[in-house]
Each structure stands twice: as structure tokens, then as C-alpha cells.
Amino acid sequence: MSRAMQCQSCLPWGSWTQLCRSLPGSRGTRSVYLCAASVPGELGSVPMGLGCVRYQGRSQEHSVQPSSSRHGLSQLRNVASPDAIKKHQKSLSAWFSHQPNEERQFGPSFSLDAVHVDPVIRESSLEEILKPSPDLTIQNQLQQPCSQVISLQNLFDVDACGRQVKNVVLYGTVGTGKSTLIKKMVVDWCHGRLPRFELVIPFSCEDLSHSHAPISLRRLITKKYQHLRDVVPMLGASNLKVLFILNGLERLNLDFRLAGTELCCDPNEPVPPSAIVVNLLRKYLLPEASIIVTTRPSAVRRIPGKYVGRYAEICGFSDTNLQKLYFQMRLSQPGCSGEDSAGSSSGEQENLVEMLSRNLERHNQIAAACFLPSYCWLVCTTLHFLYFTRTVPPSQTLTGIYTSFLRLNFSGEVLDSTDPTNISMMKYVAKTVGKLAYEGVMSRKTCFSEDDLQQCFEVEMKTESELNLLEVFRSDVFRFFLTPCVQPGKEHTFVFTIPAMQEYLAALYVVLGEKKTLAHRVGKELSEIIGKVSEDVAVVLSIISKVLPLRFLPVLFNLLKIFPRYFSRLSGKDRDAIAHTMAEELFKEEDYYNDDVLDQINFSILGVEGPMRHPDEAPDDEVFELFPIFMGGILSRRNRAILEQLGCSIKNLAAFEIAKAMKKTVIRNSRKGLPPSELMDYLFFLHEFQNERFTAEAIRSLRTVNLSSVKMTPLKCSVLASVMGTTCHEVEELNLTSCNLDTSSLRILFPVLLRCKALHLQLNSLGSDACKEIRDLLLHDKCVVSNLRLANNPVGEQGAQYLAEALAGNRSLTHLSLLHTALGDQGTEIIAQHLAKNQHLQELNLGYNSLTDTAALHVVEVAKKHPTLDKVHLYFNDISEDGKRALHSLRMDQDGVRALVFLTAGTDVSDYWSNILNVVQKNLPFWDRERVRQHLALILQDLESSRRQTANPWRKAKFLRVESEVKKMLGELEHGTL
């Protein structure tokens, strides 16, 4: 009976929920292992794995260790040089402590021989593996106690019948950390923390699967580990306690039948590598050696049960406390926040850990995601990207994080080594899970029923091979991408383990060209067939036409050439469709006023602070704004290279044609004037796309950049600087009002700010340190800033000193607004002293700065002598009636300087009364309302007094109109409606 039919009898096709196996808890256990991610093991080559941390819990069982290893060591000294073992340990320690590029690239990493938490390993049996899985939800899995937990050190203890265990099968689904656990086991032995064994010899089954030439066991060992050439000849001839590690058994096709693999007990006899493995497990070759095998669940049955002493399953983080511990240790690493921000960032690190812990306690979906240790690494890496990125090199993109995450877990992995198609696991996922993800995005759905799963996975199953592949996928990979929903009332539906993973897989599904209609599929096949046939026929016809002068042959010859051209155009239409989908999803108007995508990712991980949503309350519409961004990111050269390693090939020509087809649509839509959050998404898309020529052309069309009210984190500032840095054109206006900017933000944005003519920096809490950066900006010889608005920032006296120095040396600034910047008389005096050195300023706003008569008069006197300054704003200051009259007289004496102090100008209404009231209305939410109320009352009294002094009816009418506006504003202020 085929494997598909066997599995079908024990796991009904319709019951996808039965895939939720019981992953036991860790209460009452000795210790628990926290793996950052599971990496397909290349234990015979460069080891790939992620860091871990060790946490020792309360022990309720004894660890059986050998009383002494002196006797074995003495034998070892007699048969080989102890230096050989030491060299072997040193070599293995260096090799297996190596961290992959992804681990070093996206934040600080853990050292495998540092603090570490042992894994939750549950003792199992073949009967339990073969029986149908219980129908459990995630809540059941997290709450179910486990009484069969066994530690790594006790895997080779005697079994329940008192027999010594020699062969151990350690299995787990993708992402549980099998390879990382083995790496940690090897490193522990290298440092003397595994005294049970005197020699450990690890092999990668992936490495062994590539060789079919006969080789002896001893030659195989010395080929991989030269240091053991003096030890190997004595294997089997002494009581040396040896442990063989076989990582990734699913990569080998083993045949335990005598007819398939002959018996071999001689370590010197050359046989195929698979035969060596079979005879080691049979205990026919080196029967005293211990063996630990790691594999995926689908391959467990390849080893007959009689050759296995103990089955053990690696389980996930079934206790949220373990997840919290991992996040606390990882996010609290000294290098997590970068080199330049060690002091201020420690509080931010603690705040991140606290928010993440609270979200886990809410039994949010993220707790179900972090059930797999791999996703804990993804969460920490994403948070590091969001919070501690100060610059964004091309290697650091959100798409790059997800692509690297998949490479860490699926690199080199084929779904089923026994299947003749040898399809890569990631390619199968893109075709099946990607289809489910795409249909969910198109229908704005994140929860999927069993019917949805059947439609995507089973409806097109036609052959025995396809059924076998589906069973392997269900057993080994399904729970890596889909997990039961934790929302009340949706327990029997499935969601993607991480929400963004749905959008990534949907994007991959589209970009790979898997979204095809029947016409496209038939057209592709016909194109290939007719193209090949037409070439052969064309050659024959060309020969015949030279011998037989038949008129119809040249016509037929040309017709045959049309077919491949026509169908190549049809394939080009596919790329146009991909480009159209990307552009359409990027500029969906219904998503215009959502938070930007980076904030959405942050909320999905850390949650939203505030009261919980009532179960009966209608949920918000699902948003999939990452989908087009991931499409662009996947097309970048670096991500395409990584996906090529995963078996998902995207050709350079296809990427070029998609970009070419998308260019006009994207640039045309970007010119329409996007809302700030949508513009930030567009800039982030350009960053993820990593196409400098495309980005430069898109950015040149942006003359005005409005990002007001977008929380500009260091990452967003870096993205803005990176994208805008692809060109050197001048920007007419950059609006960064109320964007939470600080000194470091200005430093990151410095090259961009230099090129902006109008720069809006209001409402950003920019103090004196920030003013120092602004001074350097204005004094730069390439600065083109002509209009600078710093209203509602705590500039203060020290900040005024820096700005005054900037005014003295700047040649581009014509308008400067320092409205409500806490200058006071001292700060204003400093600015007045340096104002004489400036030759270009035309307008200066010093309103609402608590100025008294002396400072106000001094500024206007300096302005009288200035060659270009003709307007000074002084309203809402503490200027008396005498000061007002003095300012008015100065205004009457000067040809051009206009001091805007009150709404009146003698016995007439000021020409700028509407400007002053508009400024008040716009800034009222950020000003002291009581003080504004007092100023408005004084303004009203002044208007009434001036109206009584004039006899001109036209002027009286103007006074009454302005008075009505002030009274209306006062009324709204008192009632709280303004």
C-alpha cells in the first residue's frame, strides 16, 4: 500500500484540524530549550542555526550520568593520541558555533556555548506517531500538561523495560529547532558538558545523499574529520564510547530490506553511504556505538521500530513564560540597540519587552505564533529592524528579513526525497499555501475554514505522487504556516502564523507567475511545443524551397515563425498583469487613511494599548498594504538570489519587464497627492524594491513631500533619506510637522533637508540640541532652505543662540517662523544682535514668546535697518499699550517694516487680522487655552476701543466684523468646541 493510502486511512482528508497535535507544556520539567530558529542542518558542511539561551528550571528527575570516564579515557590514551580528540573538539566547536549571516546581520546573536535553555523534548512512541492526531485547538495545546518530558542528557538512559538505549530518533516539524539542538549538543560535548561520550561524530544526511560512490566508514570519517585519522582505526576494537549524529534523515532513501541493503560489519569495507547508515542503525556495524537521528515526522517510519530504542519529539514553547524569557534575553542584549545609543535605549528595550509580555498575556495570536521557536527569532528580528535601525543598507529590508527567515528554515529542503519530481519545499509552499494566501488577500480574509483548505490543497490532486506530497506537507510543514485561530468563536478556523506571512506568500505566488488562468497555462505549453516544432519544420522547408520552387512554402515558413512570437507576447501579458496588480494594490483608495505599514507591523507584534475589543463588536476591515510592498521587495536582486536557493526562480528578464510595465502606472498615481501615511508606504515600497533607476525616476516626480503626523522613527527617517538620496533634485516643500523628530532624526535626514526649499518642522519637541543641527544645516554651503518653520518647539534661550549664529551666516533663508518657541526676552535679544549680519531674511515670526516692550522694540529697531526684512510678527506677546503705541510710531516712521502686533492699526483694522486669527485657530490645540483666552479678551477690548474712536462708518463696519470673529472664537473656546 502506498504511503498516501496508508496516511489516508489514519488521517481523514477533510479533517485539517487534526493536524493540531498536542504539544505538551513544560511545568514540572527539568529545563526548557529556547531555539531562535530551526535551520536545515548542514552538519557535514557549514552549520546553519540560530542562537539559543539556557535556563535551568526545577528538577523532578535524576540525570543519569556515568560515575567516571577515567577508564575509557585511559583506554583512549592507549589507542590514540589525546591531542587528536582535543583537535577534533576544537574544530567542531569553531565549526558549530558559527552563526549564519542572517543571525549576525539582523541584530545581536547568541553564542551557543553561552547561556542556554534546553528544549522541551517529549518522549514518544511509534504507535503514537502513527495514530490520528487529536482534535485540539491552540488553547488546549498551551494548557495540556506533559508527563513524558525528557532532557537531552537522558535520551540514552535505559528505557521502561530496563534496556540500554542505543538508537534515538529525535523528530519535529519544520521550525522546532532540530538542527540547532544538535549543534548545541555538539558544542556541549566540545566543552566537556556531555561526559557520557568520549567521541562525537556528526554527519549531515543531506551531505551523504549527494554521494553514491562506495566508501568505508573509516574513510568516510577521516574524509570529513582529518584529526581523527589516528583514532578511527581503533573504532570497534576498543570500548570507546562513540556517538554518531545523523542530522536530517529525511534526505536519505534508506532500504532496510536485506535484498536492498546487504549486511556489513566491517568498517573498512566500501559500501554506499546509505548502506553505512542502515548497518549502523541495525547495530550490525559498530554495535556498541550510540546513534541519534533527527528527522521530520513524515520520515520517522523509514526506520523500522525494532531498530529504535527511543522516540523523542521536539515541542515548541508551550508556556508563554518561556517566550517571555526568550524575548527578554534577546531584546536586552547590550548590542541590540546599536553602538551610539547605549544610554537612552536601555529604557526603550525594557519598554519593548514589557509591551511584548503584555501582548503575550492577552493570549493574542502572537502567542500561538511563538509556539514555534523559529517565529520568536522572526519577532525579535522584526522589532530590531523597526526600533534600532539607524541606517538601511540594501541588505536590510523587511522583505529581506522574511526571505532570509525562509532560507534559514527551508534552504536546500526538498519536500520528499523519495518523490521523482524532487520539488523543493519552498516551491511547493508557494504553489499551494501561496494560492490560499493570495485568495485571502483578494477577498480580504485572514481566517480560513476546512473547506478553504480543501479547495487550495486537494481539489487539483490527480496522481498518487501528488497525494504523497500533500501528506508529507501536512505532516511536516503545515503547522509552520497555518495555526488555529485564537479568537472566540473561530477556534476551528485557521490563520497564518504571522499575519505578514500571508501577504509575503501571496506576493511570492503572484511574482512567480503561479496566478494563471487556463488560457495562460495552455498558451505556455503550446508556445513551447509549437516553438520547438516550428524550428524543425522551418529547417526542412528551407531546404525543400531551394529544390522545389513552390510559392506557398515561403508563406508557410513565415507563418510558423509567428507562433512562438505570438505566445511570447502572451507570456509578456502575464508580466503586465503582475505589474498591474502591484500598482493597483499599492494605491487602493480605501486604504489611504490607515496607519502606515511599519506601524501596522509594530501593532501586530506589540498590540494596541487600550481596552480590549468586545467580542460582539464588529471587527475592522482587514488591511493588506504589505502585499504590493512584498511584491516589489521579492523582485530585488538580493531576494531573487536567495529565492533561487529555495527553488523559486525569478529570472532577471522577468523582473526587468515587470518593472518596466509598472513604471508609468506607479509614477502617474504618485503624482495625485497621496495622504501622508500612504506616501510613507510608497517611499517604503521604493526602498524595498531596491531598484535605484526606478526609484530615481519616481522620486524626481515628487516635488512636494508631505509626511505630517507620521511618526518618523529612525527606520522611517533612514528610508526617507535612502530613497530621496537616489536623486539630487531640489524639493519644493518637505512637511514634517508633528512627526516626533529629535536630534538623531535630523542627523539622519541632513542630506535631504539641505535640498528642501520650504521646511516644516513644527510640533516636534526640538530643543537646543536639535537647533545645533539646524545651525549646521543652515550654514552648509549647499543649503537651499528659504522657508523654515519651527513653531511650537521648545527652542529656548540656548537654541536661540544656535539659530542666531545660523542667521548671521546663512544666505538662503527668507522666512523664519519661531512662533511659540519659548524664546523670552533673552532669546529674542540674541537673535536681534545677530540679525544685522543677515542680508536675506524677509519675514520673522516671534509671536507668542512672552516678549515685553523692550525686546519687541529692539527687534523692530533692528528690522528698520535691515535691507530686506519687512515683516515681523509680534502678536500674543506681553506688550503693553505704551509698547503698542511705540511700535505703531516706529511703523509710521519706517518705509516698509510691518510689525504685526494687534488686530488694529490706530483707528483702522490691521490688514493682517485674518492671518493672525488663522494662526491662533491652527495652533490652539497646542497652546495654553487660558492664556489664549486672556489674549483674545484683550484683543476684543482693543477692537471695541478703536471702533469708538473712529467716525468712519466703513471702518466701524470692519471693526464689527472682526469683533464678531473674535467673539465667536471666544465662545467656542469656552464651550470646548474649538
Side-chain angles (χ1 to χ4, degrees):
M1 185 183 295
S2 70
R3 178 171 64 240
M5 298 305 295
Q6 291 173 347
C7 296
Q8 195 171 6
S9 63
C10 65
L11 186 58
W13 284 105
S15 302
W16 285 87
T17 311
Q18 292 183 355
L19 289 170
C20 312
R21 302 196 52 182
S22 173
L23 297 183
S26 60
R27 297 177 180 85
T29 64
R30 180 173 181 270
S31 54
V32 181
Y33 185 88
L34 287 165
C35 309
S38 139
V39 181
E42 294 185 11
L43 298 180
S45 56
V46 179
M48 303 301 290
L50 298 180
C52 313
V53 281
R54 182 170 207 129
Y55 172 78
Q56 294 294 343
R58 291 178 294 182
S59 176
Q60 293 186 357
E61 53 182 308
H62 276 306
S63 173
V64 181
Q65 300 289 353
S67 60
S68 174
S69 60
R70 294 180 182 176
H71 180 63
L73 290 175
S74 65
Q75 286 186 333
L76 181 60
R77 293 189 187 97
N78 292 332
V79 299
S81 169
D83 290 340
I85 299 296
K86 290 181 180 178
K87 288 180 180 179
H88 181 58
Q89 289 177 327
K90 185 177 180 180
S91 175
L92 283 182
S93 178
W95 201 246
F96 283 83
S97 298
H98 174 78
Q99 297 293 338
N101 292 332
E102 288 82 0
E103 176 70 2
R104 299 191 302 271
Q105 177 183 342
F106 300 112
S109 60
F110 291 127
S111 173
L112 282 175
D113 59 351
V115 284
H116 173 76
V117 179
D118 289 329
V120 172
I121 304 175
R122 184 179 67 87
E123 188 167 4
S124 182
S125 65
L126 186 59
E127 293 76 15
E128 188 175 346
I129 296 170
L130 295 177
K131 73 180 181 180
S133 304
D135 184 6
L136 291 177
T137 62
I138 283 294
Q139 289 91 336
N140 297 112
Q141 293 176 9
L142 293 174
Q143 295 168 6
Q144 182 177 358
C146 180
S147 58
Q148 296 178 304
V149 170
I150 185 171
S151 67
L152 185 66
Q153 291 79 10
N154 300 130
L155 286 176
F156 290 93
D157 289 353
V158 296
D159 60 15
C161 299
R163 293 172 298 194
Q164 183 64 45
V165 173
K166 287 294 184 180
N167 291 351
V168 174
V169 172
L170 188 64
Y171 69 94
T173 58
V174 174
T176 50
K178 300 181 293 296
S179 296
T180 308
L181 172 60
I182 292 302
K183 287 180 62 180
K184 183 60 178 67
M185 186 178 186
V186 173
V187 172
D188 279 348
W189 175 76
C190 293
H191 291 83
R193 295 193 288 266
L194 202 63
R196 181 191 291 270
F197 303 106
E198 296 162 1
L199 180 62
V200 172
I201 303 176
F203 285 116
S204 165
C205 292
E206 180 183 4
D207 183 31
L208 298 179
S209 68
H210 295 312
S211 175
H212 303 286
I215 188 172
S216 68
L217 174 60
R218 288 176 177 169
R219 177 71 185 100
L220 181 63
I221 294 174
T222 55
K223 182 181 178 182
K224 304 297 180 185
Y225 306 104
Q226 296 182 21
H227 301 301
L228 298 180
R229 59 181 176 271
D230 296 330
V231 180
V232 166
M234 303 308 297
L235 285 177
S238 66
N239 292 327
L240 190 65
K241 296 177 180 177
V242 182
L243 171 64
F244 286 97
I245 298 176
L246 302 172
N247 187 58
L249 188 76
E250 66 275 357
R251 301 305 297 268
L252 284 175
N253 296 327
L254 303 181
D255 189 349
F256 281 83
R257 299 173 303 156
L258 289 177
T261 305
E262 62 179 345
L263 296 174
C264 175
C265 63
D266 184 2
N268 295 310
E269 181 180 349
V271 293
S274 60
I276 294 176
V277 173
V278 168
N279 282 289
L280 281 173
L281 291 169
R282 283 171 173 168
K283 291 306 173 193
Y284 204 75
L285 181 62
L286 300 184
E288 295 303 318
S290 298
I291 302 173
I292 185 168
V293 173
T294 67
T295 185
R296 302 200 303 258
S298 64
V300 170
R301 289 160 295 180
R302 295 185 188 179
I303 307 175
K306 61 183 178 181
Y307 299 129
V308 180
R310 173 170 284 126
Y311 292 94
E313 179 185 9
I314 301 181
C315 302
F317 294 167
S318 51
D319 189 344
T320 54
N321 289 325
L322 303 179
Q323 301 170 9
K324 291 180 187 178
L325 176 64
Y326 176 85
F327 292 132
Q328 182 177 7
M329 301 187 77
R330 178 112 194 176
L331 293 173
S332 299
Q333 286 286 94
C336 183
S337 55
E339 299 177 357
D340 302 329
S341 53
S344 61
S345 63
S346 59
E348 187 173 15
Q349 289 173 266
E350 294 175 2
N351 186 45
L352 277 181
V353 174
E354 179 63 26
M355 292 178 67
L356 192 52
S357 297
R358 285 201 298 268
N359 204 23
L360 290 171
E361 289 169 359
R362 297 188 188 110
H363 299 289
N364 199 291
Q365 197 70 47
I366 190 175
C370 295
F371 195 71
L372 284 174
S374 295
Y375 280 97
C376 292
W377 179 86
L378 180 60
V379 167
C380 287
T381 302
T382 305
L383 285 176
H384 182 272
F385 178 69
L386 291 176
Y387 281 88
F388 304 118
T389 300
R390 297 295 183 264
T391 58
V392 282
S395 58
Q396 288 203 5
T397 63
L398 187 67
T399 314
I401 290 177
Y402 275 76
T403 307
S404 298
F405 170 70
L406 293 174
R407 194 198 74 81
L408 286 172
N409 287 278
F410 295 96
S411 179
E413 290 282 327
V414 295
L415 186 61
D416 186 3
S417 61
T418 63
D419 187 78
T421 61
N422 238 6
I423 185 172
S424 76
M425 189 178 289
M426 197 60 227
K427 179 69 172 179
Y428 187 88
V429 167
K431 290 168 66 74
T432 55
V433 186
K435 179 183 178 184
L436 180 72
Y438 173 74
E439 291 181 355
V441 169
M442 291 296 101
S443 59
R444 290 187 169 255
K445 182 169 64 174
T446 57
C447 293
F448 303 93
S449 65
E450 290 189 11
D451 291 338
D452 296 328
L453 300 180
Q454 290 174 6
Q455 279 293 114
C456 281
F457 293 102
E458 299 175 15
V459 72
E460 295 182 2
M461 297 292 106
K462 299 175 183 177
T463 66
E464 183 78 5
S465 174
E466 290 174 335
L467 294 175
N468 289 338
L469 289 175
L470 179 59
E471 272 307 320
V472 173
F473 168 78
R474 288 158 63 102
S475 173
D476 298 348
V477 191
F478 178 81
R479 282 180 291 168
F480 185 85
F481 292 103
L482 292 160
T483 186
C485 184
V486 300
Q487 295 181 24
K490 296 184 179 180
E491 291 84 357
H492 296 287
T493 61
F494 290 87
V495 295
F496 278 82
T497 312
I498 290 286
M501 185 60 73
Q502 177 180 352
E503 297 177 75
Y504 181 94
L505 292 178
L508 184 60
Y509 176 77
V510 174
V511 173
L512 286 176
E514 296 296 337
K515 185 180 79 70
K516 293 185 177 76
T517 63
L518 181 61
H520 287 146
R521 294 176 183 173
V522 172
K524 183 179 180 182
E525 294 175 2
L526 285 176
S527 175
E528 295 175 353
I529 295 171
I530 295 176
K532 293 177 181 178
V533 171
S534 64
E535 290 175 4
D536 298 334
V537 175
V539 172
V540 175
L541 290 178
S542 64
I543 296 172
I544 295 175
S545 63
K546 293 177 181 178
V547 180
L548 300 175
L550 300 177
R551 296 181 179 179
F552 72 92
L553 287 179
V555 177
L556 183 60
F557 181 77
N558 291 325
L559 283 175
L560 285 171
K561 289 183 177 180
I562 292 176
F563 282 103
R565 293 175 186 173
Y566 173 76
F567 285 109
S568 65
R569 291 181 182 179
L570 184 63
S571 63
K573 293 294 183 181
D574 289 346
R575 288 156 190 168
D576 288 345
I578 293 173
H580 177 74
T581 300
M582 194 183 308
E584 184 181 18
E585 292 294 323
L586 188 62
F587 298 105
K588 270 194 171 181
E589 292 189 8
E590 55 263 40
D591 296 334
Y592 267 16
Y593 297 98
N594 298 321
D595 294 318
D596 63 79
V597 291
L598 293 174
D599 283 348
Q600 291 175 30
I601 296 171
N602 183 58
F603 296 149
S604 71
I605 295 175
L606 299 180
V608 180
E609 297 296 320
M612 298 288 289
R613 181 189 297 275
H614 192 275
D616 297 332
E617 187 178 347
D620 295 331
D621 291 336
E622 299 293 347
V623 177
F624 296 97
E625 293 182 274
L626 267 176
F627 170 54
I629 293 175
F630 276 144
M631 288 179 68
I634 288 172
L635 288 171
S636 71
R637 184 181 298 275
R638 180 178 179 275
N639 287 318
R640 283 189 285 117
I642 297 176
L643 288 168
E644 181 77 32
Q645 301 172 24
L646 298 175
C648 300
S649 178
I650 304 170
K651 302 300 182 185
N652 289 333
L653 181 60
F656 172 77
E657 290 181 347
I658 292 171
K660 184 179 179 181
M662 184 179 58
K663 186 180 296 184
K664 291 182 180 180
T665 306
V666 167
I667 294 176
R668 183 174 65 251
N669 281 279
S670 67
R671 289 172 178 167
K672 293 180 179 179
L674 301 173
S677 62
E678 195 69 16
L679 178 58
M680 187 68 240
D681 290 346
Y682 176 59
L683 296 174
F684 189 59
F685 165 80
L686 294 175
H687 167 69
E688 293 284 315
F689 196 28
Q690 293 293 302
N691 186 324
E692 190 168 336
R693 290 180 61 186
F694 182 96
T695 300
E697 192 167 342
I699 288 299
R700 286 192 195 99
S701 65
L702 289 179
R703 293 293 176 177
T704 300
V705 180
N706 181 12
L707 295 173
S708 60
S709 301
V710 174
K711 185 179 180 181
M712 294 297 291
T713 62
L715 172 61
K716 294 177 188 176
C717 291
S718 299
V719 168
L720 176 60
S722 174
V723 171
M724 298 294 290
T726 57
T727 68
C728 55
H729 77 284
E730 292 183 359
V731 180
E732 294 295 331
E733 182 179 349
L734 175 61
N735 190 344
L736 295 174
T737 301
S738 189
C739 288
N740 292 85
L741 298 179
D742 55 16
T743 305
S744 62
S745 304
L746 296 179
R747 200 171 293 128
I748 295 171
L749 292 171
F750 193 90
V752 179
L753 303 182
L754 283 174
R755 295 155 39 199
C756 299
K757 292 183 178 179
L759 186 56
H760 301 257
L761 299 176
Q762 306 97 299
L763 296 162
N764 278 296
S765 301
L766 299 177
S768 57
D769 290 339
C771 291
K772 189 175 181 181
E773 294 294 325
I774 294 173
R775 178 199 63 183
D776 297 340
L777 172 73
L778 294 175
L779 293 177
H780 198 281
D781 56 353
K782 293 184 179 180
C783 177
V784 299
V785 177
S786 60
N787 188 346
L788 176 61
R789 297 187 179 184
L790 288 170
N792 300 302
N793 284 297
V795 172
E797 185 177 334
Q798 183 60 52
Q801 178 67 45
Y802 292 131
L803 293 178
E805 295 172 8
L807 278 175
N810 177 267
R811 297 183 178 181
S812 62
L813 197 64
T814 58
H815 295 74
L816 175 62
S817 174
L818 296 175
L819 175 72
H820 192 218
T821 50
L823 296 179
D825 284 348
Q826 294 296 325
T828 304
E829 290 288 348
I830 294 171
I831 288 177
Q833 292 170 10
H834 289 75
L835 197 57
K837 301 176 183 178
N838 180 278
Q839 301 297 313
H840 303 280
L841 195 65
Q842 298 175 10
E843 183 175 349
L844 177 63
N845 192 334
L846 297 174
Y848 203 162
N849 274 294
S850 303
L851 304 187
T852 58
D853 296 355
T854 305
L857 287 168
H858 186 201
V859 169
V860 176
E861 287 174 353
V862 172
K864 286 176 62 178
K865 303 173 184 177
H866 197 281
T868 59
L869 185 61
D870 67 346
K871 189 184 296 183
V872 179
H873 299 250
L874 294 172
Y875 42 81
F876 274 71
N877 282 300
D878 300 331
I879 300 174
S880 65
E881 286 295 324
D882 293 337
K884 176 190 170 184
R885 284 191 291 269
L887 288 170
H888 182 65
S889 63
L890 284 174
R891 176 181 178 275
M892 297 298 293
D893 295 340
Q894 171 62 21
D895 300 330
V897 173
R898 288 163 288 180
L900 281 63
V901 185
F902 287 96
L903 301 188
T904 58
T907 58
D908 197 359
V909 175
S910 171
D911 294 337
Y912 303 98
W913 69 269
S914 60
N915 293 347
I916 296 174
L917 290 183
N918 284 335
V919 169
V920 173
Q921 194 159 15
K922 289 179 181 178
N923 290 276
L924 190 58
F926 321 107
W927 290 356
D928 182 353
R929 295 201 165 210
E930 179 58 29
R931 185 173 180 183
V932 171
R933 190 191 63 78
Q934 293 175 3
H935 275 282
L936 288 176
L938 291 174
I939 287 174
L940 185 59
Q941 292 177 8
D942 182 65
L943 286 169
E944 293 172 346
S945 175
S946 298
R947 176 168 52 83
R948 287 192 292 268
Q949 294 176 15
T950 183
N952 189 316
W954 173 248
R955 289 183 179 179
K956 284 184 178 287
K958 287 173 62 180
F959 274 114
L960 289 173
R961 180 188 172 190
V962 177
E963 286 176 33
S964 66
E965 291 291 334
V966 174
K967 288 179 180 178
K968 180 181 177 181
M969 191 176 293
L970 271 171
E972 292 176 349
L973 187 62
E974 291 175 357
H975 292 92
T977 57
L978 188 61

